[in-house]
Amino acid sequence: MSCEEPTTSPTPENNITVVSSDGKEFLLDLKLTEQSETLARLISNFEYDRTDVKKDPVPLGNITSAQMQKIIEWLQHHRYYPKWEQNDIHYSTSFTFETWVEEYLNIPNNEMFELLNAANYLNIPRLFSTICRIMASRITGKSAEQIRTVLNIKTDVKNDVYTGIPIQEDSSSSEDGMSEISLSPSPPPI
Amino acid sequence: KKAKQLSDIPVDIVEKIIGKTTWKDVMSLRQVSRDLRSTVDGINFVFKKVLIIIEKFKATMTIDGHSHVYERQSTIDWDHDLTRNYHSNIKRMFTDLKVLSHLPNLLIDHLHITNNQPGIYEYFESIFIDNGNEDWLHFERFFDNLKQFLTVKSVHIHLTIFLDNYILHSLKPEILEEIELRGDGNDNFDITPFEQYRQAKVYKSSEINYFYRKNHLNHLVQFDVQAMYHHPKDIINLKNEILESEKFHLGRVFWKANTWYENGFDNLEKQLVEFTRKESSEPNCRIYVVEETKKLQIKVTFNSMEIQRIL
């Protein structure tokens, strides 16, 4: 194990097979699975890291082959990264990303949400946190209307939550007069 | 199940995303859709520190590292125009706080309000402090609508302007634990004993000269206040109040207008009952241990007293 080359193609000894929801099989290097807490726990439970144990393919019913492909791309890129530190506050609140990450996550919202779900299911903290930050960075600094556009949400809020005034294009230009109206003692009923 | 949009994602994951945005974003997110609003409203927002800096031409609010500047340029260089902008900055900031306070689980650990530049009072406040000034009445009315809305655990107000009353009034008394005041903007506190004072456990104030005399302090766990004058009978009154108090732990009073001489100490000693005097190594300092319903130690110098409950 210790003398394996980074470019070694997977062999039955150092990899497992995962099966996506649409039945496609992927050979996955054991080294890569360390980044996924779900897979790592599974491998350790079934002792799949031992060469003398027969490895059954692992079904991943929640993940499509396209998503699996995308996730493997992530795992391979981060193969030699240090272990993810959960409490790195500085990192986890920053909105700057590696160029590679920005390109990797330059995908439509629906794919992003699916990838987020997959990252959550497989418990890949670095990927999960990065997607959360990317999503947050797309929201930050925007008005409600702009967020609706970014997230593709149709509003079901007829009136402004605070002023009771019908929502207009952009309510960020709050003029002095507004503050008088908006200070009702309790929020208007929804 | 395929996640096509945000609402298809489990709520706890959406909460994680929202947790990485700023307070300004949280306010916008609440207006996006009902789903998102109920998600946002389910989150326990605990802001560690809200820092407000009020300056002549702008007001800055920083919540856990994210700042917003409230600023409006004056078109005319007239005093009343500048004053209006000054008001407007403060009003828009408090409007945002009011909006934030709609979060059902909001808690602010610490609120710190300061004005970096002393002297604003003379510049702006003098213009509208006189009764009947329309700008001032407008400003007052604005704050009348802002009573007890903000959940703050501890507040430090370091101002030399007349905003202190309004700010204290805007905090929810049942949440407030600690009040610290500094600056001479709050001289009129002696006539406004707020609910906020009665609920807080710790109270500190300096440069406020009149508060102490007319406001009872015996509900506090700890206080540290400055008075203008302090006489032996004030110490006796305070001691008696504290003997009735359940929670009291430590209190200090400093005064600046009447320095005590020997006769002051003697006068105090005459009025004390059931006490023992302890030796003090400090000059101009006497220490008494009082044992009535409770055991207290009183340390008096020429311009300060410290009273402590001994367990």
Side-chain angles (χ1 to χ4, degrees):
Chain A
M1 288 274 289
S2 57
C3 57
E4 69 172 6
E5 295 287 323
T7 49
T8 309
S9 59
T11 61
E13 283 74 40
N14 60 9
N15 68 69
I16 57 159
T17 305
V18 295
V19 187
S20 62
S21 62
D22 46 353
K24 204 174 167 193
E25 294 194 353
F26 293 86
L27 269 182
L28 206 53
D29 193 328
L30 282 180
K31 170 78 182 157
L32 296 186
T33 62
E34 287 169 11
Q35 296 175 54
S36 155
E37 287 174 21
T38 307
L39 288 178
R41 195 176 305 123
L42 187 138
I43 286 161
S44 127
N45 282 349
F46 289 100
E47 299 186 310
Y48 281 178
D49 46 346
R50 281 167 55 178
T51 46
D52 57 338
V53 172
K54 184 184 176 292
K55 298 168 195 167
D56 293 322
V58 178
L60 298 174
N62 286 353
I63 297 167
T64 65
S65 55
Q67 289 161 17
M68 200 60 222
Q69 196 69 52
K70 188 86 181 161
I71 285 168
I72 291 173
E73 201 187 322
W74 174 273
L75 297 179
Q76 262 160 358
H77 182 84
H78 294 93
R79 185 189 183 103
Y80 297 108
Y81 274 56
K83 201 174 175 346
W84 173 254
E85 292 290 334
Q86 194 71 43
N87 298 324
D88 192 340
I89 291 159
H90 187 71
Y91 194 123
S92 63
T93 56
S94 136
F95 285 157
T96 52
F97 304 91
E98 281 176 50
T99 321
W100 184 88
V101 170
E102 280 192 37
E103 278 169 22
Y104 174 86
L105 289 176
N106 186 17
I107 50 176
N109 276 338
N110 58 339
E111 285 181 34
M112 182 87 87
F113 294 142
E114 284 170 17
L115 194 60
L116 184 59
N117 263 347
N120 186 45
Y121 174 69
L122 288 174
N123 206 344
I124 307 170
R126 194 190 303 271
L127 177 58
F128 182 79
S129 165
T130 305
I131 298 175
C132 285
R133 279 192 297 129
I134 282 264
M135 295 302 303
S137 74
R138 288 180 183 180
I139 292 168
T140 196
K142 293 192 168 64
S143 69
E145 189 55 42
Q146 289 166 323
I147 293 172
R148 266 181 224 120
T149 313
V150 170
L151 297 181
N152 203 7
I153 295 174
K154 282 199 184 107
T155 182
D156 50 7
V157 185
K158 290 286 180 287
N159 295 331
D160 185 289
V161 184
Y162 310 112
T163 60
I165 295 168
I167 287 166
Q168 287 162 17
E169 271 301 294
D170 186 0
S171 59
S172 64
S173 58
S174 50
E175 280 305 306
D176 218 358
M178 146 188 175
S179 53
E180 293 293 315
I181 310 161
S182 62
L183 295 169
S184 53
S186 57
I190 295 156
Chain B
K1 190 194 163 194
K2 285 196 170 185
K4 292 214 166 91
Q5 46 184 321
L6 197 67
S7 53
D8 297 328
I9 292 180
V11 170
D12 58 325
I13 300 182
V14 179
E15 286 183 4
K16 289 214 167 83
I17 296 173
I18 295 169
K20 292 183 191 301
T21 61
T22 71
W23 58 276
K24 272 277 188 185
D25 303 326
V26 169
M27 283 163 50
S28 306
L29 283 165
R30 257 189 121 245
Q31 297 193 46
V32 169
S33 70
R34 286 185 199 193
D35 275 352
L36 210 46
R37 188 190 314 158
S38 64
T39 305
V40 170
D41 286 355
I43 301 177
N44 292 333
F45 283 101
V46 178
F47 293 123
K48 287 203 169 60
K49 186 170 181 181
V50 176
L51 171 67
I52 291 175
I53 301 174
I54 295 169
E55 292 167 285
K56 250 179 206 173
F57 302 114
K58 65 177 184 193
T60 312
M61 179 154 73
T62 307
I63 304 184
D64 283 357
H66 298 287
S67 300
H68 187 77
V69 180
Y70 301 83
E71 188 173 22
R72 178 172 293 166
Q73 292 301 326
S74 225
T75 45
I76 326 157
D77 193 23
W78 289 343
D79 269 1
H80 77 259
D81 199 46
L82 295 172
T83 310
R84 262 177 210 168
N85 285 343
Y86 174 76
H87 283 172
S88 161
N89 293 338
I90 294 169
K91 281 186 342 190
R92 280 180 296 141
M93 185 166 63
F94 271 85
T95 305
D96 274 359
L97 278 174
K98 176 75 182 173
V99 171
L100 265 187
S101 75
H102 285 106
L103 292 167
N105 303 321
L106 175 74
L107 182 65
I108 294 168
D109 270 347
H110 183 65
L111 171 65
H112 188 110
I113 304 187
T114 176
N115 59 325
N116 277 345
Q117 299 156 294
I120 290 188
Y121 157 65
E122 291 120 70
Y123 195 78
F124 288 125
E125 315 277 323
S126 59
I127 299 166
F128 53 71
I129 198 70
D130 57 89
N131 282 338
N133 181 302
E134 214 170 286
D135 285 348
W136 174 243
L137 289 174
H138 197 65
F139 197 57
E140 249 185 348
R141 230 174 12 246
F142 173 83
F143 273 100
D144 277 347
N145 287 322
L146 282 181
K147 268 174 199 154
Q148 304 189 356
F149 72 95
L150 203 56
T151 45
V152 171
K153 264 169 89 173
S154 104
V155 63
H156 289 194
I157 307 177
H158 294 189
L159 292 173
T160 52
I161 48 183
F162 274 80
L163 277 174
D164 311 36
N165 281 354
Y166 295 116
I167 292 160
L168 266 178
H169 246 320
S170 66
L171 310 179
K172 272 197 177 150
E174 63 271 29
I175 307 290
L176 196 59
E177 292 183 359
E178 186 185 325
I179 302 172
E180 183 179 316
L181 306 173
R182 216 164 73 192
D184 52 15
N186 29 39
D187 270 1
N188 49 349
F189 272 160
D190 58 337
I191 50 161
T192 48
F194 296 151
E195 189 63 24
Q196 280 82 347
Y197 288 120
R198 283 196 284 274
Q199 300 263 355
K201 296 188 187 80
V202 178
Y203 177 81
K204 294 176 185 176
S205 81
S206 54
E207 295 168 45
I208 303 154
N209 301 323
Y210 308 108
F211 173 79
Y212 158 69
R213 309 193 99 218
K214 286 181 187 168
N215 290 274
H216 300 295
L217 299 169
N218 57 348
H219 63 286
L220 294 162
V221 173
Q222 197 181 327
F223 63 81
D224 196 338
V225 300
Q226 184 163 302
M228 186 65 104
Y229 295 96
H230 208 57
H231 301 287
K233 71 171 190 312
D234 294 322
I235 293 186
I236 299 296
N237 287 343
L238 192 58
K239 181 211 74 179
N240 290 338
E241 272 188 14
I242 282 166
L243 284 172
E244 288 167 20
S245 155
E246 290 299 314
K247 298 174 283 184
F248 173 81
H249 176 66
L250 176 72
R252 290 195 190 94
V253 183
F254 294 86
W255 56 91
K256 52 185 191 183
N258 63 328
T259 302
W260 281 24
Y261 298 101
E262 282 300 312
N263 58 347
F265 291 105
D266 293 341
N267 193 352
L268 172 70
E269 209 165 298
K270 253 182 250 167
Q271 296 183 55
L272 279 173
V273 283
E274 292 183 51
F275 71 92
T276 44
R277 191 170 150 185
K278 273 170 66 177
E279 284 307 311
S280 170
S281 52
E282 293 174 50
N284 291 320
C285 172
R286 290 191 190 178
I287 299 173
Y288 302 100
V289 176
V290 176
E291 278 193 79
E292 292 180 43
T293 52
K294 287 185 185 71
K295 195 171 178 184
L296 300 173
Q297 175 177 289
I298 303 170
K299 179 178 166 184
V300 190
T301 75
F302 60 93
N303 70 344
S304 75
M305 66 160 289
E306 184 181 297
I307 185 159
Q308 193 173 357
R309 185 168 169 189
I310 300 169
L311 295 169

